[in-house]
Amino acid sequence: MPDRFYITTPIYYVNDIPHIGHAYTTVAADIAARFHRMAGADVFFLTGTDEHGQKVLQAAELRGVSPKDHTDIMCTNFKKLWTALDITNDAFIRTTDKDHIDTVREMLQRLYNCGEIVKRTYEGSYCTHDERFWTDKEVIDGNCPDCSRPVETIKEDNYFFLMSKYQDRLIEHINKNSGFIRPETRKNEVLGFLRSNPLGDLCISRPKKRLSWGIPLPFDESYVTYVWFDALLNYYSATGYLAKEHKQTYWWPADCHIVGKDIVTTHAVYWPAMLMALKLPMPEMIFAHGWWTIDGKKMSKSVGNVVDPLAVTKTYGVDAFRYFLMREVTFGLDGDYSETALIKRFDTELANDLGNLVNRSFAMLSKYFNGIVPETTEFDIELKELAEGISERLKEHLKLLSFNKALDAVWELVSFLNKYIDSNKPWALAKDTNTAQKLAVVMYSLVEGIRFISVYLYPFMPKFGERLYSHIIGEPLSSERNIHEKLKWGTLKAGTVVTTIEQLFPKIENERKEKVVEEKSTTTVVEEKTDELISIDDFAKVKLKVGKILSAEPVPKSNKLIKLSVDTGELRQVVAGIGKHYTAEELVGKTVIVVANLKPAKLMGVESHGMVLAASEGDSLKLVTPDGELPAGSVVK
Ligand code: ME8
């Protein structure tokens, strides 16, 4: 891993209201930045806004304010969103910053002086909306190939950057540096484009009489700079005035430009050609990710399907949103965004797999060791190797921005620990003094494993990682330097007090159901009508699961209700009216069958999420249990 890591997002058009697409790129860059910081690298993470051009001027005029005042207001939409999404950008560049403008002018002058920029008369098709010329081949039926608006034929003098002469060098650079453009499909696309078309020169000026809102050319003040030429230079100019403590040469070249696939040509052709002309080193990698759609359609204000990231995070939390974006789709491919998919991942992966692992582990530590991490000299070698090995795997995956592979690796540990509980059955070990040492190993391993998970997931879900790590260790994770050194099995000290923790990801479906729960203090007696048969579909509505009773205690002031904590693949509280037939003590460790989709109810003021099945005859009552061992959560069919 480099000791110094410079990562960027595109600078977003200041007129846009940020949506999940913008959030996606920025969250991805944030994860990479956090990961490198944790690994001890010196990180510079840059984002910002692109503030010049016709559209900004028009929007400002419409509001009756100056373009600068307009951009001052509009760029705060992005700044606020980044704060809300826990983005740790080190700097926010605006192309209206004086230092950026000075750098652009200096670079233009340099290129002009060495003959890389020349003046020519140009006649061509121009799209005012996109502020760019198109070749005759590109124009479709007199319309712009990008926005489909009619193009105008314009003849005027303009300045051109002699980009065409870099065509061969660009192809050579891309071929020699296999990781320069990622993913592979985008690299091939760019190579295909460069090999099959003669690369034109780039018109980098706009006459002021047509467009006044831009950076004036230093060698001809009657022109302003083409907005892309100005924008791309932000990556370099920022290193000169926004990255503190070091010289520009320390930060340049960038390690990683993350962009969407829409702007791959500007980044993988224009920008490297500009750098070649400026005799500046090439960035290490340009990664063009895929596109989020809604029901297969492009997000757009006019269609009204734009998803507001702030609204999503208010409902589901920042961590869940960040997790979903990175988990749902392979970085590089397109994906369709839906709330249903988000809820599904939240409930199964965050609430069930992860949240319950943490909850039941800490609850058992509290029950069997008063919340004190026990002393142990033994450990499970497979678990140790898995936990420690993820560190290297994350490095490899994050180098290539394979976020979902990284999450897969962490989830191997989550699943391992869940199975570890089921196979070691701490509740059974706790019953026998001969297995006290084994119980200590199991409980130590669970807490230690969870500590690893808190660190590994921190870049993805910073609030979760921070909260969990400091809950275990008592120190904030973000203040730890070189945290990877602490990813050695056994670093957790015996004697550490780890109290129980409230549900980290309360199930969304449950929360919705709970809203309609009514207080019930009476028992409903259903009269059996033997002649009323139900269909198989009716029966299928009842979800029965195998559950393991982790703890039990009598409900105060009741002689028959017992409050159970049951593992049914998720941790749930069930109140059972079996107190006359079983003591709380003898219930712990039993395997039972639970009705898992019963509406929650309150019995003597205690919430119950499900029902334990029992058979009775006269005064006798026995719990129904499977004929043999099955893991908690197994479905009864
Ligand atoms: O192009 N899915 O700015 P922009 C995924 N100012 N990502 C998306 C997306 C979607 N549906 N929509 C937007 C510009 N993005 C220029 C950049 S850089 C020197 C100048 C993300 O506001 C994605 O990263 O149109 C895309 O490349 C970027 O927003 C475009 O932002």
Side-chain angles (χ1 to χ4, degrees), residues 60-131:
E61 279 168 355
L62 220 66
R63 294 177 58 199
V65 293
S66 74
K68 182 68 172 80
D69 285 348
H70 173 68
T71 57
D72 285 349
I73 294 163
M74 294 300 286
C75 79
T76 59
N77 292 329
F78 286 91
K79 288 185 173 169
K80 275 189 202 149
L81 179 62
W82 303 151
T83 307
L85 294 183
D86 288 335
I87 302 297
T88 53
N89 54 303
D90 296 291
F92 189 99
I93 189 168
R94 301 179 53 190
T95 51
T96 49
D97 289 346
K98 183 180 175 306
D99 291 290
H100 170 75
I101 294 171
D102 290 348
T103 312
V104 172
R105 282 167 63 86
E106 190 194 319
M107 297 288 129
L108 283 164
Q109 189 66 55
R110 213 195 275 181
L111 292 174
Y112 185 70
N113 291 350
C114 56
E116 297 278 350
I117 290 177
V118 296
K119 193 173 188 179
R120 281 184 193 153
T121 304
Y122 185 76
E123 186 169 353
S125 304
Y126 187 78
C127 171
T128 315
H129 182 264
D130 287 333
E131 296 166 40

Side-chain angles (χ1 to χ4, degrees), residues 87 122 155 172 180 193 202 210 318 354 358 408 415 418 424 444 461 469 503 513 533 632:
I87 302 297
Y122 185 76
K155 184 178 177 186
E172 192 187 324
F180 181 58
F193 166 81
L202 185 67
R210 190 148 56 77
V318 186
L354 182 60
V358 175
D408 278 344
S415 305
N418 274 319
N424 285 295
Y444 181 93
M461 300 193 282
Y469 185 85
Q503 270 290 353
K513 284 181 202 154
L533 299 177

Side-chain angles (χ1 to χ4, degrees), residues 10-13 16 19 21-22 24-25 50 228 231-232 234-235 259-260 262-263 267 289-292 299:
I11 47 170
Y12 304 108
Y13 285 129
D16 286 349
H19 58 63
H22 304 107
Y24 186 48
T25 323
D50 191 352
W228 266 105
L232 286 162
N234 91 87
Y235 301 131
V259 298
D262 53 324
I263 53 177
H267 282 79
H289 64 68
W291 212 239
W292 282 103
M299 257 179 289

Side-chain angles (χ1 to χ4, degrees), residues 208-467:
K208 254 192 194 161
K209 58 181 181 333
R210 190 148 56 77
L211 171 65
S212 58
W213 183 236
I215 301 179
L217 297 183
F219 41 82
D220 189 340
E221 300 271 339
S222 58
Y223 288 86
V224 295
T225 313
Y226 171 43
V227 72
W228 266 105
F229 199 88
D230 155 8
L232 286 162
L233 275 167
N234 91 87
Y235 301 131
Y236 179 72
S237 71
T239 58
Y241 72 99
L242 289 172
K244 306 240 163 58
E245 289 170 23
H246 295 286
K247 283 195 182 142
Q248 195 153 26
T249 45
Y250 176 80
W251 289 111
W252 192 259
D255 294 274
C256 180
H257 292 314
I258 305 187
V259 298
K261 66 178 185 179
D262 53 324
I263 53 177
V264 70
T265 312
T266 47
H267 282 79
V269 178
Y270 296 8
W271 179 225
M274 286 162 67
L275 289 168
M276 282 173 183
L278 287 162
K279 300 188 176 43
L280 286 170
M282 290 289 135
E284 204 48 40
M285 168 163 85
I286 296 154
F287 195 109
H289 64 68
W291 212 239
W292 282 103
T293 51
I294 309 291
D295 295 325
K297 290 194 199 90
K298 194 174 171 178
M299 257 179 289
S300 98
K301 265 188 265 175
S302 53
V303 178
N305 63 352
V306 175
V307 180
D308 173 9
L310 280 178
V312 181
T313 55
K314 265 191 202 136
T315 315
Y316 302 107
V318 186
D319 283 343
F321 177 59
R322 290 172 61 117
Y323 174 79
F324 176 74
L325 290 180
M326 294 302 133
R327 191 75 194 84
E328 183 70 359
V329 177
T330 299
F331 204 59
L333 302 181
D334 294 342
D336 203 51
Y337 178 89
S338 85
E339 210 163 317
T340 316
L342 190 153
I343 293 174
K344 192 160 172 237
R345 286 211 180 265
F346 188 104
D347 280 353
T348 53
E349 291 162 24
L350 298 182
N352 273 2
D353 299 349
L354 182 60
N356 282 339
L357 168 68
V358 175
N359 277 97
R360 60 185 184 151
S361 300
F362 291 179
M364 288 190 287
L365 185 75
S366 169
K367 186 169 164 59
Y368 306 134
F369 292 98
N370 287 326
I372 300 167
V373 174
E375 188 90 49
T376 172
T377 46
E378 291 170 43
F379 52 81
D380 183 308
I381 186 82
E382 193 186 349
L383 175 54
K384 171 190 185 301
E385 282 177 1
L386 172 66
E388 289 183 346
I390 290 172
S391 194
E392 252 336 284
R393 290 165 69 192
L394 286 195
K395 271 187 208 165
E396 289 309 307
H397 294 319
L398 288 182
K399 228 196 272 173
L400 304 178
L401 304 184
S402 301
F403 297 107
N404 61 356
K405 281 196 185 151
L407 286 169
D408 278 344
V410 183
W411 242 254
E412 276 180 39
L413 181 56
V414 173
S415 305
F416 188 101
L417 291 175
N418 274 319
K419 284 193 199 119
Y420 187 71
I421 296 179
D422 295 340
S423 57
N424 285 295
K425 300 186 193 63
W427 48 92
L429 298 175
K431 277 194 191 156
D432 186 346
T433 47
N434 292 327
T435 49
Q437 181 53 28
K438 173 78 179 164
L439 180 65
V441 174
V442 170
M443 291 315 304
Y444 181 93
S445 302
L446 285 172
V447 183
E448 180 64 330
I450 291 170
R451 183 180 72 90
F452 273 69
I453 291 172
S454 71
V455 176
Y456 289 145
L457 288 182
Y458 170 75
F460 295 87
M461 300 193 282
K463 282 198 168 63
F464 163 84
E466 186 68 86
R467 182 165 167 219

